[in-house]
Amino acid sequence: SALELLKRGHIFVGDDLIADSVEKNQKSIVKIYAPFDGASTVDTFFGYGVFISKDGIIMTDAGVAVGFTSVGVVLPDGVRASADRLATKSSKNIHLYRISIPRKESIAVKFGNSDAVKLGQSVIGLGGDGKKDAIAVGVITSIVSDPGTLATRIRIETSLDQNNLGTGRILLTLSGELVGFHGATQTADPKNSYVPINLLKPEMELLPNIPTPVVPLPPIVIPQATSTATTTASTTPIIEATTTLAQ
């Protein structure tokens, strides 16, 4: 936190905190494209996502890459890869993908506590247009709670100018913690609002692996020859089909 940095002898002013927060999180964001087919000379940019685990799981807006179970991603170090969508218990606001290439370790974004943010608190919006990253700095202007359970926050509204932030943008505190995400339900909202990260955590729960039964194909039948020649029995093995669910 900023207080801990001060205790260690680091003196930060507002601009320093903003730059430090952005720099830390740029290592966690990825750019999401239509699947790379190797034939197209122009990549179709969909939006941004963030690593939420060290083993390469990416969270992005459910409105990004609608209808695609596999996407192309550009990682923070510029490496291009594919990523497959994972099955989750809910996908109202977000989708999860896992990159297909082995990496020593992805830098996961650090979650903050969205129930602890306050009116007037300074925040940072981080996103971009695919060609370059962009930020917006502002404050929290309103915190909207569920009318049925006032303790549950459902929306964080801000003063951020988000014209250049694109889809899949994230909301950060000055200490670099992710407290909000611009999900599908917020896309048409004119109030520059974000879904609180605490509300999204249940959507990050993956479905368990369900083993798929092996279904044998029907045996190969060799028709009888009409001539008097002897037909040798086929030694072709029966092939069993398996279907593997996305991990």
Side-chain angles (χ1 to χ4, degrees):
S1 69
L3 180 59
E4 290 171 341
L5 290 169
L6 288 171
K7 287 179 179 178
R8 295 175 196 166
H10 297 279
I11 300 176
F12 276 69
V13 296
D15 289 347
D16 294 323
L17 288 172
I18 294 167
D20 184 59
S21 174
V22 170
E23 183 179 20
K24 285 190 295 187
N25 283 280
Q26 278 184 304
K27 300 173 184 177
S28 302
I29 63 174
V30 301
K31 299 168 185 175
I32 299 176
Y33 295 82
F36 301 134
D37 57 12
S40 176
T41 57
V42 179
D43 297 324
T44 303
F45 176 68
F46 286 149
Y48 278 77
V50 291
F51 281 123
I52 62 170
S53 73
K54 294 180 179 180
D55 60 346
I57 294 180
I58 297 167
M59 175 180 74
T60 188
D61 177 5
V64 169
V66 175
F68 286 84
T69 56
S70 180
V71 295
V73 296
V74 175
L75 306 179
D77 56 7
V79 172
R80 293 158 66 95
S82 62
D84 297 321
R85 186 175 165 188
L86 302 174
T88 55
K89 289 188 175 181
S90 173
S91 57
K92 177 183 177 182
N93 295 289
I94 60 172
H95 286 164
L96 300 185
Y97 291 84
R98 191 193 298 274
I99 59 174
S100 59
I101 61 174
R103 291 175 67 81
K104 291 182 179 179
E105 186 174 288
S106 301
I107 300 177
V109 70
K110 183 179 180 180
F111 291 140
N113 180 7
S114 56
D115 288 337
V117 298
K118 302 175 182 178
L119 284 176
Q121 180 175 334
S122 297
V123 285
I124 306 163
L126 175 60
D129 60 4
K131 297 178 182 177
K132 60 183 184 300
D133 296 337
I135 70 164
V137 180
V139 298
I140 294 175
T141 58
S142 180
I143 298 173
V144 181
S145 299
D146 186 336
T149 57
L150 295 179
T152 303
R153 296 179 172 187
I154 60 173
R155 192 163 69 248
I156 300 173
E157 296 176 355
T158 73
S159 64
L160 301 181
D161 179 0
Q162 303 183 125
N163 290 332
N164 298 318
L165 297 188
T167 308
R169 53 187 175 267
I170 58 177
L171 186 69
L172 305 170
T173 63
L174 292 187
S175 59
E177 295 178 337
L178 190 155
V179 291
F181 193 80
H182 194 83
T185 59
Q186 316 302 116
T187 301
D189 196 316
K191 297 180 180 179
N192 301 327
S193 63
Y194 292 78
V195 180
I197 196 65
N198 289 8
L199 193 67
L200 294 177
K201 288 178 180 178
E203 293 191 35
M204 299 177 199
E205 186 176 351
L206 299 177
L207 289 176
N209 255 341
I210 303 173
T212 304
V214 176
V215 180
L217 295 175
I220 299 172
V221 178
I222 300 176
Q224 295 295 324
T226 55
S227 66
T228 57
T230 302
T231 302
T232 303
S234 171
T235 59
T236 304
I238 296 174
I239 302 172
E240 295 186 335
T242 61
T243 302
T244 302
L245 296 178
Q247 297 300 311

PDB file of all heavy atoms in Angstrom, residues 100-122:
ATOM      1  N   SER A 100      -2.919 -21.452 -24.344  1.00  0.00           N
ATOM      2  CA  SER A 100      -2.577 -22.807 -24.773  1.00  0.00           C
ATOM      3  C   SER A 100      -1.089 -23.118 -24.713  1.00  0.00           C
ATOM      4  O   SER A 100      -0.701 -24.264 -24.892  1.00  0.00           O
ATOM      5  CB  SER A 100      -3.056 -23.016 -26.216  1.00  0.00           C
ATOM      6  OG  SER A 100      -2.437 -22.062 -27.072  1.00  0.00           O
ATOM      7  N   ILE A 101      -0.249 -22.110 -24.485  1.00  0.00           N
ATOM      8  CA  ILE A 101       1.194 -22.364 -24.499  1.00  0.00           C
ATOM      9  C   ILE A 101       1.726 -22.431 -23.072  1.00  0.00           C
ATOM     10  O   ILE A 101       1.248 -21.730 -22.186  1.00  0.00           O
ATOM     11  CB  ILE A 101       1.955 -21.276 -25.295  1.00  0.00           C
ATOM     12  CG1 ILE A 101       1.736 -19.891 -24.661  1.00  0.00           C
ATOM     13  CG2 ILE A 101       1.532 -21.273 -26.741  1.00  0.00           C
ATOM     14  CD1 ILE A 101       2.564 -18.800 -25.309  1.00  0.00           C
ATOM     15  N   PRO A 102       2.707 -23.274 -22.837  1.00  0.00           N
ATOM     16  CA  PRO A 102       3.271 -23.358 -21.476  1.00  0.00           C
ATOM     17  C   PRO A 102       4.089 -22.120 -21.149  1.00  0.00           C
ATOM     18  O   PRO A 102       4.813 -21.597 -21.986  1.00  0.00           O
ATOM     19  CB  PRO A 102       4.156 -24.608 -21.557  1.00  0.00           C
ATOM     20  CG  PRO A 102       4.524 -24.728 -23.004  1.00  0.00           C
ATOM     21  CD  PRO A 102       3.338 -24.214 -23.774  1.00  0.00           C
ATOM     22  N   ARG A 103       3.922 -21.625 -19.931  1.00  0.00           N
ATOM     23  CA  ARG A 103       4.710 -20.479 -19.466  1.00  0.00           C
ATOM     24  C   ARG A 103       5.171 -20.784 -18.043  1.00  0.00           C
ATOM     25  O   ARG A 103       4.497 -21.479 -17.291  1.00  0.00           O
ATOM     26  CB  ARG A 103       3.862 -19.195 -19.474  1.00  0.00           C
ATOM     27  CG  ARG A 103       3.513 -18.723 -20.871  1.00  0.00           C
ATOM     28  CD  ARG A 103       2.565 -17.533 -20.822  1.00  0.00           C
ATOM     29  NE  ARG A 103       3.153 -16.337 -20.268  1.00  0.00           N
ATOM     30  CZ  ARG A 103       3.926 -15.504 -20.961  1.00  0.00           C
ATOM     31  NH1 ARG A 103       4.211 -15.759 -22.221  1.00  0.00           N
ATOM     32  NH2 ARG A 103       4.409 -14.413 -20.398  1.00  0.00           N
ATOM     33  N   LYS A 104       6.315 -20.237 -17.703  1.00  0.00           N
ATOM     34  CA  LYS A 104       6.823 -20.469 -16.351  1.00  0.00           C
ATOM     35  C   LYS A 104       5.831 -19.936 -15.325  1.00  0.00           C
ATOM     36  O   LYS A 104       5.513 -20.592 -14.353  1.00  0.00           O
ATOM     37  CB  LYS A 104       8.185 -19.788 -16.195  1.00  0.00           C
ATOM     38  CG  LYS A 104       9.296 -20.426 -16.999  1.00  0.00           C
ATOM     39  CD  LYS A 104      10.617 -19.727 -16.750  1.00  0.00           C
ATOM     40  CE  LYS A 104      11.740 -20.380 -17.543  1.00  0.00           C
ATOM     41  NZ  LYS A 104      13.033 -19.685 -17.336  1.00  0.00           N
ATOM     42  N   GLU A 105       5.345 -18.721 -15.563  1.00  0.00           N
ATOM     43  CA  GLU A 105       4.409 -18.148 -14.619  1.00  0.00           C
ATOM     44  C   GLU A 105       3.832 -16.863 -15.199  1.00  0.00           C
ATOM     45  O   GLU A 105       4.563 -16.005 -15.674  1.00  0.00           O
ATOM     46  CB  GLU A 105       5.104 -17.845 -13.291  1.00  0.00           C
ATOM     47  CG  GLU A 105       4.178 -17.385 -12.186  1.00  0.00           C
ATOM     48  CD  GLU A 105       4.900 -17.232 -10.871  1.00  0.00           C
ATOM     49  OE1 GLU A 105       5.258 -18.258 -10.267  1.00  0.00           O
ATOM     50  OE2 GLU A 105       5.096 -16.078 -10.440  1.00  0.00           O
ATOM     51  N   SER A 106       2.513 -16.736 -15.174  1.00  0.00           N
ATOM     52  CA  SER A 106       1.858 -15.499 -15.573  1.00  0.00           C
ATOM     53  C   SER A 106       1.727 -14.612 -14.336  1.00  0.00           C
ATOM     54  O   SER A 106       1.628 -15.093 -13.215  1.00  0.00           O
ATOM     55  CB  SER A 106       0.469 -15.789 -16.157  1.00  0.00           C
ATOM     56  OG  SER A 106       0.572 -16.632 -17.279  1.00  0.00           O
ATOM     57  N   ILE A 107       1.755 -13.316 -14.549  1.00  0.00           N
ATOM     58  CA  ILE A 107       1.624 -12.387 -13.431  1.00  0.00           C
ATOM     59  C   ILE A 107       0.152 -12.065 -13.238  1.00  0.00           C
ATOM     60  O   ILE A 107      -0.460 -11.367 -14.056  1.00  0.00           O
ATOM     61  CB  ILE A 107       2.438 -11.106 -13.685  1.00  0.00           C
ATOM     62  CG1 ILE A 107       3.921 -11.453 -13.848  1.00  0.00           C
ATOM     63  CG2 ILE A 107       2.256 -10.117 -12.535  1.00  0.00           C
ATOM     64  CD1 ILE A 107       4.805 -10.272 -14.169  1.00  0.00           C
ATOM     65  N   ALA A 108      -0.425 -12.602 -12.199  1.00  0.00           N
ATOM     66  CA  ALA A 108      -1.853 -12.421 -11.955  1.00  0.00           C
ATOM     67  C   ALA A 108      -2.121 -11.060 -11.342  1.00  0.00           C
ATOM     68  O   ALA A 108      -1.340 -10.550 -10.534  1.00  0.00           O
ATOM     69  CB  ALA A 108      -2.372 -13.520 -11.025  1.00  0.00           C
ATOM     70  N   VAL A 109      -3.237 -10.451 -11.756  1.00  0.00           N
ATOM     71  CA  VAL A 109      -3.646  -9.175 -11.186  1.00  0.00           C
ATOM     72  C   VAL A 109      -3.994  -9.380  -9.712  1.00  0.00           C
ATOM     73  O   VAL A 109      -4.401 -10.461  -9.299  1.00  0.00           O
ATOM     74  CB  VAL A 109      -4.863  -8.616 -11.963  1.00  0.00           C
ATOM     75  CG1 VAL A 109      -6.104  -9.434 -11.685  1.00  0.00           C
ATOM     76  CG2 VAL A 109      -5.098  -7.147 -11.660  1.00  0.00           C
ATOM     77  N   LYS A 110      -3.811  -8.345  -8.912  1.00  0.00           N
ATOM     78  CA  LYS A 110      -4.122  -8.442  -7.492  1.00  0.00           C
ATOM     79  C   LYS A 110      -5.514  -7.883  -7.236  1.00  0.00           C
ATOM     80  O   LYS A 110      -5.805  -6.737  -7.572  1.00  0.00           O
ATOM     81  CB  LYS A 110      -3.094  -7.665  -6.662  1.00  0.00           C
ATOM     82  CG  LYS A 110      -3.319  -7.777  -5.160  1.00  0.00           C
ATOM     83  CD  LYS A 110      -2.255  -7.013  -4.374  1.00  0.00           C
ATOM     84  CE  LYS A 110      -2.490  -7.126  -2.876  1.00  0.00           C
ATOM     85  NZ  LYS A 110      -1.458  -6.372  -2.105  1.00  0.00           N
ATOM     86  N   PHE A 111      -6.388  -8.713  -6.657  1.00  0.00           N
ATOM     87  CA  PHE A 111      -7.741  -8.268  -6.354  1.00  0.00           C
ATOM     88  C   PHE A 111      -7.765  -7.413  -5.096  1.00  0.00           C
ATOM     89  O   PHE A 111      -7.110  -7.726  -4.091  1.00  0.00           O
ATOM     90  CB  PHE A 111      -8.684  -9.458  -6.151  1.00  0.00           C
ATOM     91  CG  PHE A 111      -8.958 -10.235  -7.401  1.00  0.00           C
ATOM     92  CD1 PHE A 111      -9.019 -11.616  -7.380  1.00  0.00           C
ATOM     93  CD2 PHE A 111      -9.153  -9.590  -8.608  1.00  0.00           C
ATOM     94  CE1 PHE A 111      -9.275 -12.343  -8.532  1.00  0.00           C
ATOM     95  CE2 PHE A 111      -9.400 -10.294  -9.770  1.00  0.00           C
ATOM     96  CZ  PHE A 111      -9.461 -11.672  -9.727  1.00  0.00           C
ATOM     97  N   GLY A 112      -8.562  -6.329  -5.148  1.00  0.00           N
ATOM     98  CA  GLY A 112      -8.820  -5.531  -3.966  1.00  0.00           C
ATOM     99  C   GLY A 112     -10.174  -5.896  -3.391  1.00  0.00           C
ATOM    100  O   GLY A 112     -10.844  -6.812  -3.871  1.00  0.00           O
ATOM    101  N   ASN A 113     -10.598  -5.175  -2.385  1.00  0.00           N
ATOM    102  CA  ASN A 113     -11.899  -5.401  -1.756  1.00  0.00           C
ATOM    103  C   ASN A 113     -12.851  -4.293  -2.210  1.00  0.00           C
ATOM    104  O   ASN A 113     -12.787  -3.168  -1.723  1.00  0.00           O
ATOM    105  CB  ASN A 113     -11.748  -5.398  -0.233  1.00  0.00           C
ATOM    106  CG  ASN A 113     -13.068  -5.633   0.482  1.00  0.00           C
ATOM    107  OD1 ASN A 113     -14.090  -5.924  -0.143  1.00  0.00           O
ATOM    108  ND2 ASN A 113     -13.070  -5.495   1.797  1.00  0.00           N
ATOM    109  N   SER A 114     -13.738  -4.624  -3.146  1.00  0.00           N
ATOM    110  CA  SER A 114     -14.638  -3.597  -3.681  1.00  0.00           C
ATOM    111  C   SER A 114     -15.677  -3.151  -2.656  1.00  0.00           C
ATOM    112  O   SER A 114     -16.321  -2.110  -2.842  1.00  0.00           O
ATOM    113  CB  SER A 114     -15.337  -4.104  -4.945  1.00  0.00           C
ATOM    114  OG  SER A 114     -16.041  -5.312  -4.701  1.00  0.00           O
ATOM    115  N   ASP A 115     -15.842  -3.912  -1.576  1.00  0.00           N
ATOM    116  CA  ASP A 115     -16.761  -3.492  -0.521  1.00  0.00           C
ATOM    117  C   ASP A 115     -16.153  -2.398   0.353  1.00  0.00           C
ATOM    118  O   ASP A 115     -16.847  -1.799   1.172  1.00  0.00           O
ATOM    119  CB  ASP A 115     -17.151  -4.679   0.364  1.00  0.00           C
ATOM    120  CG  ASP A 115     -18.081  -5.650  -0.355  1.00  0.00           C
ATOM    121  OD1 ASP A 115     -18.748  -5.213  -1.319  1.00  0.00           O
ATOM    122  OD2 ASP A 115     -18.132  -6.831   0.036  1.00  0.00           O
ATOM    123  N   ALA A 116     -14.853  -2.153   0.179  1.00  0.00           N
ATOM    124  CA  ALA A 116     -14.170  -1.175   1.028  1.00  0.00           C
ATOM    125  C   ALA A 116     -13.936   0.168   0.333  1.00  0.00           C
ATOM    126  O   ALA A 116     -13.513   1.119   0.987  1.00  0.00           O
ATOM    127  CB  ALA A 116     -12.835  -1.748   1.497  1.00  0.00           C
ATOM    128  N   VAL A 117     -14.206   0.264  -0.980  1.00  0.00           N
ATOM    129  CA  VAL A 117     -13.971   1.544  -1.660  1.00  0.00           C
ATOM    130  C   VAL A 117     -14.990   2.583  -1.187  1.00  0.00           C
ATOM    131  O   VAL A 117     -16.092   2.234  -0.748  1.00  0.00           O
ATOM    132  CB  VAL A 117     -14.039   1.395  -3.193  1.00  0.00           C
ATOM    133  CG1 VAL A 117     -12.952   0.440  -3.682  1.00  0.00           C
ATOM    134  CG2 VAL A 117     -15.404   0.913  -3.654  1.00  0.00           C
ATOM    135  N   LYS A 118     -14.604   3.863  -1.300  1.00  0.00           N
ATOM    136  CA  LYS A 118     -15.423   4.930  -0.742  1.00  0.00           C
ATOM    137  C   LYS A 118     -15.754   5.993  -1.782  1.00  0.00           C
ATOM    138  O   LYS A 118     -15.038   6.142  -2.783  1.00  0.00           O
ATOM    139  CB  LYS A 118     -14.674   5.583   0.426  1.00  0.00           C
ATOM    140  CG  LYS A 118     -14.297   4.631   1.535  1.00  0.00           C
ATOM    141  CD  LYS A 118     -13.456   5.326   2.600  1.00  0.00           C
ATOM    142  CE  LYS A 118     -13.038   4.365   3.698  1.00  0.00           C
ATOM    143  NZ  LYS A 118     -12.186   5.030   4.725  1.00  0.00           N
ATOM    144  N   LEU A 119     -16.827   6.722  -1.541  1.00  0.00           N
ATOM    145  CA  LEU A 119     -17.160   7.859  -2.392  1.00  0.00           C
ATOM    146  C   LEU A 119     -16.014   8.862  -2.365  1.00  0.00           C
ATOM    147  O   LEU A 119     -15.448   9.146  -1.309  1.00  0.00           O
ATOM    148  CB  LEU A 119     -18.437   8.540  -1.886  1.00  0.00           C
ATOM    149  CG  LEU A 119     -19.763   7.840  -2.174  1.00  0.00           C
ATOM    150  CD1 LEU A 119     -20.901   8.612  -1.513  1.00  0.00           C
ATOM    151  CD2 LEU A 119     -20.007   7.736  -3.667  1.00  0.00           C
ATOM    152  N   GLY A 120     -15.670   9.398  -3.534  1.00  0.00           N
ATOM    153  CA  GLY A 120     -14.594  10.370  -3.626  1.00  0.00           C
ATOM    154  C   GLY A 120     -13.212   9.772  -3.722  1.00  0.00           C
ATOM    155  O   GLY A 120     -12.230  10.498  -3.919  1.00  0.00           O
ATOM    156  N   GLN A 121     -13.100   8.439  -3.606  1.00  0.00           N
ATOM    157  CA  GLN A 121     -11.789   7.789  -3.678  1.00  0.00           C
ATOM    158  C   GLN A 121     -11.234   7.877  -5.092  1.00  0.00           C
ATOM    159  O   GLN A 121     -11.948   7.696  -6.082  1.00  0.00           O
ATOM    160  CB  GLN A 121     -11.919   6.327  -3.264  1.00  0.00           C
ATOM    161  CG  GLN A 121     -10.611   5.552  -3.295  1.00  0.00           C
ATOM    162  CD  GLN A 121     -10.771   4.144  -2.761  1.00  0.00           C
ATOM    163  OE1 GLN A 121     -11.663   3.856  -1.951  1.00  0.00           O
ATOM    164  NE2 GLN A 121      -9.903   3.232  -3.194  1.00  0.00           N
ATOM    165  N   SER A 122      -9.951   8.162  -5.215  1.00  0.00           N
ATOM    166  CA  SER A 122      -9.302   8.231  -6.523  1.00  0.00           C
ATOM    167  C   SER A 122      -9.149   6.834  -7.110  1.00  0.00           C
ATOM    168  O   SER A 122      -8.780   5.892  -6.402  1.00  0.00           O
ATOM    169  CB  SER A 122      -7.925   8.885  -6.400  1.00  0.00           C
ATOM    170  OG  SER A 122      -8.037  10.209  -5.961  1.00  0.00           O
TER     171      SER A 122
END
